[in-house]
Amino acid sequence: MSAVYAAEDADFRGPLDVTKAATAVLDGDGTVVGWGPAAHALLGYPPHEAVGRPIGTFVVDRPGAYRMSAPLPGAALARRQVLHMRHRDGHIVRVATATLPLSHAGAGPARLLAVADADETERWEALQSMLRGLATQSPVGLAIYDTDLRVVWTNHALYREMGTFQYAGLGPDEMVADGEILSDGYPGTLTETMRQVIATGEPVIELHYSGRPPADPEHDHVWSCSYYRLQDADGRALGVCEETVDITDRYLAQQRLDLLVRAGGRVGTSLDMTRTAQELSAVAVPQFADAITVDLIDVVLEGDQPAPGTATARRVVRVWEGPSEGPRTARPVAYPADSLQARCLAGGQPVLEGPTPTQSAHSRLAVPLRTEGGPLGVVTFCRDRHPDPFESGDLLVADELAARAAVSIDNARRFTREHAAALTLQRSLLPRHLPRLTAVDVAHRYLPADNRAGVGGDWYDVIALSGTRVGLVVGDVVGHGVRAAATMGRLRTSVRAFARLDLPPDELLTRLDELITQDAHEQTAVQAGTEDAALGVTCLYAVYDPVSGRCSMARAGSPLPSIVDPGTGAVSHPDVPAGPPLGLGGLPFESAEFTLPEGSLIALFTDGLIQGRDRDRDAELDALHAVLAEHRRPLDDLCDRIVTTLLPGPVDDDAALLLVRTRTLDSHEVAAWDLPDDPEVVGRARALATRQVGAWGLDGELGFTTELVVSELVTNAIRYASGPIQLRLIRDRTLICEVSDTGHTSPHLRRAGSEDEGGRGLFLIAQMTQQWGTRYTPTGKTIWAEQPIPP
């Protein structure tokens, strides 16, 4: 039974039906000749009072309305009228009336008048209008199934939705092709769902169902279905009523919105361009497209922005082609001039290409990856198995997906550029190659907390000093990242400059503290309220002398170093006074000096190595000492073990580690003589130096130069200072000549005039030696000069 037939065959009898209404029989003049019991009940007049009276006498507002002289119409049912009639007790009754002809000529009964309560009639007509609308005009599809779940009735909307298909006797899953329930928590088929409704009486509301109707077998539709049980007055199930609304457009719009929401949470989770392309593919495939490709302009991968107007002239690299089980190697691609990707890049707008006989893809859509700075590349969405080609509604979704990916890719591009700059900064700030020194063997490790930038505020350094001594440094700038690294580089340079002045550790830290405090005041004066990254710097500086085996050390807020005795393997901390962090200004620093046996192991480190969030400092120190106890292992192995033990995962603070194993110079490599303050000793000093250089097998050119250097330095010491003089020669990687006296005035180079008798000695020394300088001691000063030893 179709919906049309169901609507036409329905029994729409109501209050004016002659089997239900109050009736009166009228003659041709409108006089009552018959009065039914229902009329008596409605108006209160018994038959003997009503018969013989004109019907118009009962009408209040239209007397004589039924007095008729014309022949009766041939219609079966006249148009309904609403009248006001007087009840026998005097009150007015509002009624609806209709007439039915009984005969067309002659005397006697001429028509039948049906009368009913007007309010009841209007309610019934409204209900009938609603039912007729549901059956013939409602956009909601309606179907009634019997207890065997076979169709017994449908309305016109469902009939129209399904085309000319006839439903009588069909089950719910037989009405569409490839039907599928999309909502969670329901049985697998509509038949099972409807059986559950019949069994439990619980209605099912807003169940989403997908399938292909006979009227449109090439495309999937989505319906919102609701079911409720039909039952008689005694509660016995009669069947199930189904309400369906085609929500395909709304469902697709919701799916697109969900797609964009999912893209917002899943695309761009890292600063990696290839991973962003992979995340875009994971979101779009297979819901939106069957496959996608992501192509980027080559300079974007290097961190640069393509210049305006050069996008089509640049090389394009394909970073993703999916779906894929794993990452693909980026490869260059070449676009034909008329390809949709080339047109997309050239125009900067999406390009849609429908199916053609020569293409395997059902539909393709190229969308530019663009930012305010210009195009970055292009993403191509392909549909070859999807039943529907791309349409205008998909353009907005694809453009929004590409825009989200473009923002992430542009962030990754900026990060790539900044990361390259940070790495360059790191290479320039931290020592890339520590000097090879006779005094110590060293190994080091540096772990920045900012792994993305790869640089932070901690640093280490090993500085070659005069007399084969070595300066050892570890420092820590508060914070991490490029700003802390820039401050660290400035401080590292300052430490090296102060160290070359041969300042003792406590004085070096005092000078560094003054520098930081002065910079902070200057910065505050220029820009008030700006936090100086150099405030709160910690630093440890030590000087080790391999000739004497003595080590002098001072610290400003840094943790105490750990020292391993080479004989017993015991780990201890030197008694070095704890100075305040640098940058506080005006507070003193103190040095401690102690002797280190040859082969001692010193571990210098910053706070990040042994403390941090949820880390116990004492436990970390115990773990460090356990590794240091194996002090005879190679230093690089010890560094790796320390890092692996103490910092097995990501760190929340920068960490620097410097391991130093001490050496001492053999006594045969050092010669020293105490000389009186007498001009006659100059010749003796020359002879002593010449003899020692010869004993070392360094006579020849070095012998002549050493004799000249010794002569000039001893002469200056006698002339400008007082007290005893010491001459010392050290054979190391260079030949070092030192002359110490009790004076505190440092000599300086000057250009002697043509008539000057002196002033040329230091100038000759500077020309004939590798380097020379002065350092101050507690008893005076030492002037030194180094000469390279030939291979």
Side-chain angles (χ1 to χ4, degrees):
M1 179 188 301
S2 73
V4 174
Y5 295 141
E8 291 178 349
D9 294 346
D11 182 9
F12 294 123
R13 295 181 299 173
L16 285 175
D17 184 80
V18 294
T19 62
K20 301 178 181 179
T23 57
V25 182
L26 309 179
D27 63 12
D29 295 328
T31 302
V32 177
V33 296
W35 192 258
H40 181 191
L42 178 64
L43 298 176
Y45 298 100
H48 68 274
E49 293 182 7
V51 173
R53 298 174 59 180
I55 192 62
T57 62
F58 300 98
V59 179
V60 176
D61 51 355
R62 297 185 63 187
Y66 287 88
R67 187 177 295 112
M68 303 183 334
S69 58
L72 292 175
L77 188 64
R79 182 177 179 182
R80 181 179 66 83
Q81 300 181 64
V82 176
L83 301 175
H84 291 83
M85 304 184 77
R86 188 179 301 278
H87 195 274
R88 185 172 184 274
D89 62 10
H91 76 272
I92 304 303
V93 180
R94 184 171 174 269
V95 297
T97 65
T99 57
L100 181 69
L102 298 178
S103 65
H104 297 282
R111 64 177 58 203
L112 180 69
L113 176 67
V115 183
D117 183 90
D119 293 339
E120 180 183 353
T121 303
E122 289 172 350
R123 286 195 298 270
W124 176 84
E125 288 179 342
L127 177 61
Q128 292 304 303
S129 177
M130 180 193 69
L131 293 176
R132 186 177 293 104
L134 288 176
T136 61
Q137 299 177 0
S138 172
V140 178
L142 296 174
I144 295 178
Y145 298 82
D146 61 16
T147 54
D148 293 328
L149 300 184
R150 296 294 163 178
V151 176
V152 296
W153 181 86
T154 64
N155 72 342
H156 193 273
L158 194 62
Y159 177 83
R160 184 175 59 249
E161 174 77 17
M162 300 300 175
T164 58
F165 199 85
Q166 300 298 316
Y167 303 116
L170 292 180
D173 293 313
E174 299 171 333
M175 298 172 64
V176 297
D178 302 325
E180 176 187 6
I181 292 180
L182 302 179
S183 301
D184 296 330
Y186 292 98
T189 66
L190 291 181
T191 299
E192 295 173 359
T193 301
M194 293 167 67
R195 291 193 186 281
Q196 182 177 339
V197 170
I198 291 178
T200 64
E202 293 291 331
V204 171
I205 309 298
E206 289 284 342
L207 180 149
H208 289 175
Y209 186 70
S210 175
R212 298 184 180 183
D216 188 12
E218 300 298 325
H219 300 95
D220 289 330
H221 285 239
V222 178
W223 296 275
S224 175
C225 304
S226 298
Y227 299 93
Y228 52 91
R229 185 171 68 180
L230 301 176
Q231 58 190 31
D232 60 15
D234 296 329
R236 289 190 297 270
L238 302 176
V240 177
C241 182
E242 175 187 59
E243 299 178 3
T244 62
V245 178
D246 192 320
I247 60 168
T248 303
D249 292 341
R250 188 178 74 189
Y251 182 82
L252 292 178
Q254 183 63 47
Q255 291 296 100
R256 290 165 179 166
L257 179 61
D258 293 343
L259 181 70
L260 295 179
V261 171
R262 191 162 63 252
R266 294 178 57 182
V267 176
T269 61
S270 70
L271 291 173
D272 182 88
M273 300 183 200
T274 300
R275 182 169 179 181
T276 298
Q278 180 182 3
E279 291 167 346
L280 176 62
S281 176
V283 168
V285 177
Q287 180 177 338
F288 184 73
D290 296 318
I292 75 168
T293 59
V294 179
D295 305 325
L296 300 179
I297 299 173
D298 55 356
V299 295
V300 173
L301 294 171
E302 300 168 3
D304 296 329
Q305 176 75 50
T310 64
T312 56
R314 308 291 312 195
R315 190 179 68 159
V316 178
V317 178
R318 179 155 294 173
V319 298
W320 184 259
E321 184 174 1
S324 172
E325 297 296 332
R328 303 277 183 91
T329 303
R331 59 183 177 86
V333 293
Y335 297 144
D338 60 344
S339 65
L340 77 163
Q341 292 92 346
R343 287 181 282 145
C344 175
L345 278 179
Q349 297 296 327
V351 177
L352 175 60
E353 191 175 80
T356 64
T358 60
Q359 292 175 337
S360 59
H362 190 61
S363 181
R364 293 191 300 168
L365 176 58
V367 184
L369 295 165
R370 59 181 182 269
T371 62
E372 293 181 357
L376 305 175
V378 60
V379 55
T380 306
F381 300 92
C382 301
R383 286 183 178 177
D384 51 9
R385 297 180 300 275
H386 199 283
D388 300 322
F390 289 112
E391 57 184 13
S392 58
D394 296 320
L395 285 176
L396 298 176
V397 177
D399 198 39
E400 181 64 23
L401 288 174
R404 293 175 184 264
V407 170
S408 300
I409 290 174
D410 191 50
N411 289 338
R413 178 192 65 80
R414 295 172 186 270
F415 166 73
T416 300
R417 182 184 60 196
E418 298 298 329
H419 186 245
L423 291 180
T424 301
L425 178 64
Q426 179 189 30
R427 296 188 188 101
S428 64
L429 296 180
L430 289 175
R432 299 182 63 184
H433 303 289
L434 295 180
R436 295 182 60 188
L437 301 172
T438 303
V440 291
D441 290 328
V442 297
H444 53 86
R445 293 294 183 271
Y446 171 68
L447 286 84
D450 188 351
N451 289 322
R452 295 179 300 172
V455 68
D458 289 21
W459 87 95
Y460 57 88
D461 210 347
V462 177
I463 306 169
L465 302 176
S466 63
T468 68
R469 296 170 308 129
V470 60
L472 307 172
V473 189
V474 290
D476 181 2
V477 175
V478 174
H480 46 263
V482 175
R483 184 180 180 188
T487 302
M488 173 270 288
R490 178 162 53 91
L491 296 181
R492 176 174 174 260
T493 301
S494 300
V495 170
R496 294 182 70 87
F498 291 147
R500 295 295 169 81
L501 296 176
D502 277 312
L503 299 176
D506 56 342
E507 186 174 348
L508 183 143
L509 292 181
T510 300
R511 297 278 186 92
L512 195 62
D513 180 63
E514 293 173 352
L515 176 65
I516 294 174
T517 304
Q518 181 181 357
D519 287 350
H521 290 328
E522 291 176 354
Q523 183 175 6
T524 303
V526 173
Q527 187 175 0
T530 300
E531 181 182 358
D532 188 351
L535 292 178
V537 175
T538 64
C539 183
L540 183 146
Y541 179 65
V543 176
Y544 173 68
D545 186 349
V547 176
S548 64
R550 302 287 291 172
C551 181
S552 179
M553 185 180 298
R555 63 191 180 108
S558 291
L560 283 169
S562 298
I563 299 179
V564 183
D565 184 273
T568 63
V571 182
S572 62
H573 299 289
D575 187 13
V576 181
L582 301 173
L584 301 182
L587 299 176
F589 300 95
E590 299 181 53
S591 293
E593 189 171 354
F594 44 89
T595 301
L596 292 175
E598 182 175 12
S600 297
L601 179 62
I602 311 174
L604 304 118
F605 48 86
T606 57
D607 277 335
L609 185 72
I610 58 171
Q611 69 182 30
R613 189 182 301 114
D614 301 328
R615 298 172 64 196
D616 182 78
R617 182 187 178 97
D618 293 336
E620 297 293 285
L621 278 175
D622 291 341
L624 172 64
H625 294 169
V627 178
L628 292 178
E630 303 180 26
H631 62 99
R632 301 188 187 280
R633 298 173 64 93
L635 294 183
D636 279 323
D637 289 354
L638 287 176
C639 278
D640 290 337
R641 293 198 59 190
I642 290 173
V643 170
T644 302
T645 302
L646 273 65
L647 304 174
V651 295
D652 50 25
D653 190 15
D654 304 326
L657 169 66
L658 182 65
L659 291 186
V660 179
R661 182 172 285 134
T662 64
R663 297 177 182 173
T664 57
L665 284 180
D666 189 274
S667 59
H668 298 293
E669 308 297 327
V670 181
W673 302 275
D674 292 325
L675 304 175
D677 183 10
D678 186 349
E680 297 181 356
V681 81
V682 175
R684 180 187 171 200
R686 287 198 301 265
L688 292 172
T690 301
R691 187 182 307 117
Q692 184 61 52
V693 169
W696 283 335
L698 302 177
D699 49 359
E701 183 178 345
L702 276 181
F704 171 77
T705 306
T706 303
E707 185 177 354
L708 178 63
V709 170
V710 168
S711 177
E712 180 63 30
L713 293 182
V714 173
T715 299
N716 284 344
I718 295 172
R719 178 178 298 177
Y720 300 108
S722 60
I725 299 171
Q726 185 186 65
L727 170 64
R728 186 170 72 166
L729 297 180
I730 302 174
R731 184 178 70 170
D732 188 35
R733 299 180 185 275
T734 60
L735 178 61
I736 304 171
C737 177
E738 297 180 344
V739 173
S740 303
D741 57 44
T742 57
H744 294 279
T745 303
S746 176
H748 61 278
L749 277 177
R750 66 184 179 89
R751 185 176 296 277
S754 59
E755 298 180 357
D756 291 344
E757 296 183 359
R760 298 176 178 84
L762 285 180
F763 180 79
L764 291 175
I765 291 176
Q767 298 300 313
M768 301 180 68
T769 61
Q770 179 174 284
Q771 57 181 340
W772 73 279
T774 303
R775 69 173 181 269
Y776 292 94
T777 66
T779 59
K781 70 176 181 297
T782 298
I783 302 177
W784 53 271
E786 292 186 7
Q787 303 175 70
I789 297 177

